[in-house]
Amino acid sequence: MVKQRKKSGNKLVAGMQIRNEAHRYLTEILTHLNQWVDEIVIIDDNSTDNSREICRSFDKVSRIIELKKNTFEFEYELRKNLWEEVKKSDPDWILIIDADEVFEDKMISQIRSLIDQTEYDWVGFRLYDFWGSKTHYRSDNYWRAHNHHDPILVRYIDGLPEIWKEYPVHTGRYPLTYFTALTGMKSDIRIKHYGWAGDEKERLRKYHRYMASDSQGIYGSLGQYQSILDKNPHLIEWKD
């Protein structure tokens, strides 16, 4: 049966892929999510720490799909796999979120007004790349996701054709058709992205990973990759 747009009672299912996140931000992110989503589906990309045990401690985590080998270098396959697993939970709305992203607290009180309506089918948010700490975010020509709204929360439309960027990196969270065929809205709720908030060694590992996956800058920007090595990036203090 084709799902109908509903003004109330919408089910929100979050999907997250993880790999060895136990000592990073996983507990913080799941603690926040657990307050305002209806269900959480996890794909574990062959973690060797206790990430899965942390996930199981949250009552909204309904399923953990355990992969037997690391597939991170095939981002398209991993993203599409997560999308398909979330769909199995019969969602009205889907949130694909990374294990180092957390919404502002006002999402807890505003989520129902965002999804319990029939006027639009996706919600865009501004994402702030925290750099070297959880107090400052980076802002320059290469790091400016916070200057525009990315569609991060979507209504699941059964039967809508699904076309993906079949890239090894920068695949995107959702099928492209969700944003070319549907109407959305922009929210003033911000997202804190802690993926670059660790130490220099962690950022260097990410740099080498990008260069190994996209050494010619075909799927992303070589300039941005090189900017990861900047010793004095332009940082702005986060204000609640």
Side-chain angles (χ1 to χ4, degrees), residues 6 11 38 92 112 115 121 123 156 183 192 210 212 224 237:
K6 300 186 301 185
K11 180 181 180 181
D38 297 302
D92 295 298
R112 297 317 306 184
I115 66 175
D121 296 318
V123 185
Y156 175 56
T183 300
K192 305 173 187 179
Y210 278 129
Q224 186 183 45
E237 185 178 3

Side-chain angles (χ1 to χ4, degrees), residues 6-12 36-38 92-93 106-117 120 153:
K6 300 186 301 185
K7 290 186 177 180
S8 63
N10 284 283
K11 180 181 180 181
L12 170 58
W36 53 275
V37 304
D38 297 302
D92 295 298
W93 283 78
K106 58 183 177 180
M107 186 64 159
I108 299 169
S109 61
Q110 294 187 25
I111 183 59
R112 297 317 306 184
S113 65
L114 291 176
I115 66 175
D116 284 340
Q117 47 71 36
Y120 50 83
L153 177 65

